[in-house]
Amino acid sequence: MDQMIRDAAHPHLPRYMVVDAAQFDVSYVINPWMDPDAWARDRANWQARARAGAADLHAALRQAGAQVEIVPSVAGLPDLVFPANAGIVLDRRVLPARFAHPQRQGEEAPYRAAFEAFRGRGLLDEIGQLPDGCFQEGAGDCIWDVRRQFFWTGHGQRSLAAAADEIAAFFARRLVQLELVNPRFYHLDTCFCPLSGGEVLYYPKAFDARGLATIRDHVAADDLIEATDEDAAAFCVNAVSLDRTVIMATAPERLRARLAERGYTVRNVDLVPFILSGGGAYCMTLRLDRSSVMAPATV
Ligand code: ARG
């Protein structure tokens, strides 16, 4: 269907940016999960499985009621497939990322081009800019909590603590900072996931005592769902929460059951090839219509 007609027909549907997986590869190491040797031993199979996994993720988003905007991949930029790191979006304004590692800095231009194209289509209004050297890796380290009306930010691995001031100034919003102390959980989205009903799925070992105290100060004990080592290693905290559906990499049965008790349906996607790069469902998406205003059916 023609894009304009579809946009006009479903102006209210949640909208996610994704990047096609055609150029996805594991060819360098910038986090402890990345395993180029394992990838190289079976590259053709991993690539086929990655394409199938990405297609199933897109299908899961659509089944949950979302529109999916597929941005083309770029040769030589394998991690472009993780657009949660492209920028922070809220209320039709985007603050594009600055990547800490040279291996990913080439992604800044294509992501900006994608944002400009979305602005051209009327999906975004304004595109900001972080100062040079102010590393901040997008929605991977800055998560809007619609129930609590503030951003949770992560720093200490990729994003700088100082980026928080820039984010607060650009969006004129409150934020709560969490230091990430475990290199395996190098983006906030690997260990922290607010769900649509107000619960927070999180992995305690990614934080120190101070971070845990901050989380407990802001989230009622009843609303805290602790991920186990197994859940975190399966990249299940890196989940897309859309109404009562939680889309995630294949989850341990116990986690599915715990979420079901709270009224959520887990939609599993086989994302093992992406876990070999340190990524899961959430970081393969970027919500473009993220709104500060609570809309119960679409948070
Ligand atoms: N290989 C990528 C990196 O290390 C994975 C990024 C995953 N993104 C995320 N938001 N967790 O940067």
Side-chain angles (χ1 to χ4, degrees):
M1 198 192 300
D2 175 75
Q3 189 66 53
M4 296 299 284
I5 295 172
R6 208 172 62 210
D7 292 351
H10 303 290
H12 58 286
L13 292 186
R15 190 185 299 266
Y16 289 88
M17 166 179 165
V18 302
V19 176
D20 85 60
Q23 304 290 340
F24 175 63
D25 200 15
V26 183
S27 53
Y28 50 73
V29 178
I30 56 171
N31 72 56
W33 306 90
M34 296 183 83
D35 191 344
D37 296 336
W39 182 269
R41 276 195 292 277
D42 208 5
R43 174 174 268 114
N45 278 327
W46 285 123
Q47 280 174 337
R49 192 168 165 187
R51 280 195 286 270
D56 193 36
L57 174 65
H58 305 166
L61 290 164
R62 291 191 186 101
Q63 285 156 11
Q67 297 183 75
V68 179
E69 300 284 347
I70 305 180
V71 169
S73 52
V74 176
L77 296 174
D79 282 342
L80 201 68
V81 80
F82 300 114
N85 298 127
I88 305 163
V89 183
L90 189 71
D91 294 335
R92 304 174 55 88
R93 304 172 74 232
V94 58
L95 188 58
R98 294 268 192 198
F99 285 92
H101 289 292
Q103 290 92 333
R104 296 200 65 182
Q105 286 167 353
E107 297 174 37
E108 291 174 20
Y111 282 145
R112 182 171 279 273
F115 292 139
E116 278 163 7
F118 291 131
R119 184 175 55 184
R121 286 172 50 200
L123 299 175
L124 296 171
D125 291 333
E126 193 186 338
I127 305 172
Q129 183 159 9
L130 287 165
D132 250 350
C134 183
F135 301 129
Q136 200 293 320
E137 297 198 350
D141 267 335
C142 184
I143 303 174
W144 179 252
D145 189 324
V146 71
R147 296 281 155 171
R148 299 176 183 84
Q149 293 286 299
F150 59 72
F151 283 117
W152 296 95
T153 63
H155 67 271
Q157 301 290 328
R158 299 286 181 88
S159 301
L160 300 178
D165 297 336
E166 301 290 333
I167 300 167
F170 182 75
F171 291 103
R173 292 285 172 174
R174 198 157 78 84
L175 43 84
V176 173
Q177 290 183 267
L178 296 171
E179 184 178 358
L180 301 172
V181 298
N182 182 336
R184 278 165 40 93
F185 300 94
Y186 57 92
H187 281 137
L188 185 62
D189 67 9
T190 62
C191 52
F192 193 88
C193 181
L195 302 179
S196 62
E199 303 93 337
V200 173
L201 174 64
Y202 79 118
Y203 181 57
K205 291 181 191 166
F207 305 95
D208 63 8
R210 191 159 154 242
L212 293 172
T214 304
I215 294 169
R216 288 178 193 131
D217 279 350
H218 290 91
V219 185
D222 252 14
D223 282 335
L224 282 174
I225 306 173
E226 284 193 15
T228 63
D229 294 347
E230 192 195 359
D231 300 336
F235 262 79
C236 292
V237 183
N238 193 263
V240 177
S241 171
L242 190 53
D243 198 10
R244 301 313 286 186
T245 303
V246 191
I247 303 170
M248 61 174 67
T250 308
E253 193 43 52
R254 181 78 194 101
L255 178 62
R256 292 172 66 108
R258 287 162 72 207
L259 291 170
E261 280 163 22
R262 294 186 181 248
Y264 293 101
T265 303
V266 171
R267 168 61 156 90
N268 282 325
V269 182
D270 172 23
L271 296 176
V272 171
F274 301 99
I275 296 174
L276 275 186
S277 184
Y282 173 92
C283 57
M284 294 177 69
T285 68
L286 180 65
R287 179 87 186 249
L288 292 173
D289 63 324
R290 178 71 66 205
S291 162
S292 60
V293 181
M294 185 139 56
T298 58
V299 294

